Amino acid sequence: MRSAKRLRKQIEGIIEQSIGNVSIVVEINEETIISKNSEREMSSASLIKIPVIIAAYRQAELGKIDLEEKIVVKPDHKVGGAGVIQYLTEGTLLSVKDLLTLMIIVSDNTATNMMIDLIGQETINQFNKLLGCKHTKLERRLMDYVARDKGLDNVTSASDMVKFLKEIAENRFLTSKSSHEILNILTGQQFQDKLPAMMDLDHVFVANKTGEIPGVEHDVAIIRHNDDQVLITVLIDQLNNQFEGKQVIARIGKAVYDYLIQ
């Protein structure tokens, strides 16, 4: 027989062995199983792409942007880091929805910056506040080292990330159609070496988004099995070994998976 108390103790044991500073929230069927350092503001890394896609779909619902609009990728759009657009032919034409998809499933930084420019930084931050997110701020475009050196960074918290996941799963502000499309994009995630790494994905539904920069490893996910739904956010910083951070997140994911399939 499964036990939420046992799961909490398992996760606490994994966290205690972490070499980094862990912030975590695990909610199962709206019950908080564990919440630790959940209000701690930290670098979002690529998790900032979650509020960007939510804001994009909200703006589409309001008629401010068109998800089917085609945008030409220009040389000055391209930035380094994660993603594939930087390697594509100049003049490539991609729809807004294509860009949002690439932003999520391969964490494309060029696509992200194009979406930030289209939606507007202030619009994204305003919608974050509407969702009740206290710690999430988009302060700069991705790979903008000049802004970073001025002290501007994109930040979030574990508790805020759960609010974003909840909006996708339960659509308080978005329509059910928008929520379904975002969830479908998240299920195409190509980076599965953290929360889903030790799960049998034939047995559970996982929609996740990772984030990483030197010293930081994150993953957030909506996990479903039968009638159970899990919202999980694991954010780790102050790491001196990226692989060990990934392993901590994967072990937490496995503990949740084992609990669900019991």
Side-chain angles (χ1 to χ4, degrees):
M1 185 174 178
R2 68 187 193 182
S3 163
K5 184 177 180 181
R6 189 183 306 125
L7 174 61
R8 181 169 57 252
K9 285 187 175 180
Q10 260 189 291
I11 294 172
E12 286 172 346
I14 296 167
I15 291 170
E16 284 172 9
Q17 296 172 27
S18 174
I19 57 171
N21 197 338
V22 179
S23 296
I24 183 171
V25 179
V26 179
E27 284 189 16
I28 301 180
N29 301 328
E30 300 188 1
E31 177 189 354
T32 301
I33 303 300
I34 185 169
S35 178
K36 180 179 174 64
N37 297 325
S38 64
E39 302 289 311
R40 187 167 68 93
E41 189 176 287
M42 56 201 296
S43 176
S44 66
S46 284
L47 293 188
I48 201 65
K49 294 162 185 176
I50 293 280
V52 172
I53 193 171
I54 291 174
Y57 269 85
R58 179 59 175 164
Q59 289 301 103
E61 290 171 359
L62 296 172
K64 301 292 180 63
I65 66 172
D66 178 0
L67 296 175
E68 302 306 321
E69 178 191 354
K70 299 290 197 301
I71 300 178
V72 176
V73 180
K74 299 176 182 176
D76 59 354
H77 285 140
K78 295 182 179 183
V79 294
V84 298
I85 295 177
Q86 60 183 304
Y87 303 109
L88 300 183
T89 306
E90 283 184 23
T92 296
L93 204 60
L94 293 168
S95 71
V96 171
K97 187 175 180 182
D98 288 338
L99 290 165
L100 291 169
T101 300
L102 290 170
M103 179 181 76
I104 295 297
I105 69 171
V106 292
S107 209
D108 198 294
N109 290 331
T110 297
T112 307
N113 285 348
M114 291 174 72
M115 291 300 92
I116 291 169
D117 292 345
L118 180 68
I119 304 160
Q121 183 174 315
E122 188 54 37
T123 298
I124 295 165
N125 285 327
Q126 284 175 352
F127 196 55
N128 295 345
K129 290 176 182 176
L130 184 64
L131 292 174
C133 297
K134 301 175 184 176
H135 313 109
T136 304
K137 292 189 288 289
L138 173 66
E139 293 192 328
R140 62 175 176 84
R141 298 163 89 248
L142 277 70
M143 310 303 288
D144 185 345
Y145 298 119
V146 173
R148 185 196 63 183
D149 291 344
K150 291 178 180 177
L152 298 175
D153 198 9
N154 301 324
V155 294
T156 192
S157 67
S159 62
D160 276 7
M161 290 312 305
V162 165
K163 290 185 176 77
F164 290 123
L165 294 180
K166 195 163 288 191
E167 179 59 32
I168 296 168
E170 300 171 10
N171 52 278
R172 276 192 311 147
F173 293 96
L174 297 174
T175 63
S176 58
K177 181 178 183 290
S178 293
S179 291
H180 177 76
E181 286 194 14
I182 295 171
L183 193 63
N184 190 53
I185 290 170
L186 285 165
T187 61
Q189 179 57 246
Q190 300 297 294
F191 302 135
Q192 297 183 328
D193 57 345
K194 297 180 197 177
L195 283 172
M198 292 190 249
M199 299 181 187
D200 184 342
L201 298 180
D202 289 332
H203 288 89
V204 291
F205 169 95
V206 178
N208 73 299
K209 179 72 191 82
T210 62
E212 57 273 324
I213 54 176
V216 169
E217 292 287 347
H218 301 327
D219 203 359
V220 304
I222 298 168
I223 304 168
R224 291 172 177 165
H225 178 259
N226 294 335
D227 294 328
D228 293 319
Q229 176 173 275
V230 181
L231 305 180
I232 178 169
T233 69
V234 187
L235 284 60
I236 310 179
D237 63 5
Q238 299 176 29
L239 287 164
N240 54 29
N241 184 311
Q242 301 287 139
F243 178 74
E244 287 190 30
K246 290 180 181 180
Q247 287 295 103
V248 166
I249 298 174
R251 288 173 62 205
I252 291 170
K254 179 63 161 55
V256 170
Y257 172 82
D258 289 344
Y259 172 86
L260 288 174
I261 64 170
Q262 283 176 14

